[in-house]
Amino acid sequence: MRVALGSDHAGFALKESLKETLRALGAEVDDLGTHDETSVDYVDYARRVGEEVARGAAERGIAICGTGIGMSIAANKVAGVRAALCHEGYSARHSREHNDANVLCLGARVIGKELAVEVVRVFLSSGFSGGRHRHRVEKIAALEDSTGGPGSPAPR
Ligand code: RB5
């Protein structure tokens, strides 16, 4: 599995340490930066990770900032991205099984390395359950089409 990996300066150290974890899990890592702790805007890296996943160059993405919140807000603006902010395994598993999440967001200032490793392992090894969850995920995609910006009518 190819995994697009990105962070801002606050997530840089965790991103670096997760590379080893990802490779040990058999993933091919596509490191989209940032490459040091110089202050950068998380939005740019959320976009890189999101676009890589949305165009199918990577099957999953992992985006890390201080809280994970900025990354999740920004990544979810990329059409086709379903980003989930998870700091424990239960949410990580359900983000895959129920929501077919394709980007995992982590807050490096929130979660320790050991727990982050566990969350990543669960996120990569869990699959979408389909069934009743499928049409809900399809409705999310429909939202992208029907809420194109200012002036778009709210769907009924
Ligand atoms: C950077 O200081 C911090 O704002 C960023 O990493 C992230 O937490 C934003 O959501």
Side-chain angles (χ1 to χ4, degrees), residues 8-11 39-40 42 64-73 107-109:
D8 71 357
H9 52 288
S39 183
V40 292
Y42 58 81
I64 310 165
C65 64
T67 59
I69 295 170
M71 283 295 193
S72 61
I73 293 171
R109 293 172 178 164

Side-chain angles (χ1 to χ4, degrees), residues 127-148:
F128 182 45
S129 300
R132 71 185 188 280
H133 302 294
R134 188 170 302 282
H135 86 275
R136 296 168 183 162
V137 171
E138 287 167 359
K139 277 189 168 181
I140 294 173
L143 269 180
E144 290 172 350
D145 298 334
S146 64
T147 57

Side-chain angles (χ1 to χ4, degrees), residues 8-32:
D8 71 357
H9 52 288
F12 171 73
L14 182 58
K15 172 173 73 67
E16 292 304 297
S17 66
L18 286 178
K19 277 194 223 174
E20 196 183 311
T21 302
L22 288 164
R23 291 188 182 119
L25 291 170
E28 191 185 334
V29 179
D30 188 5
D31 184 354
L32 301 173

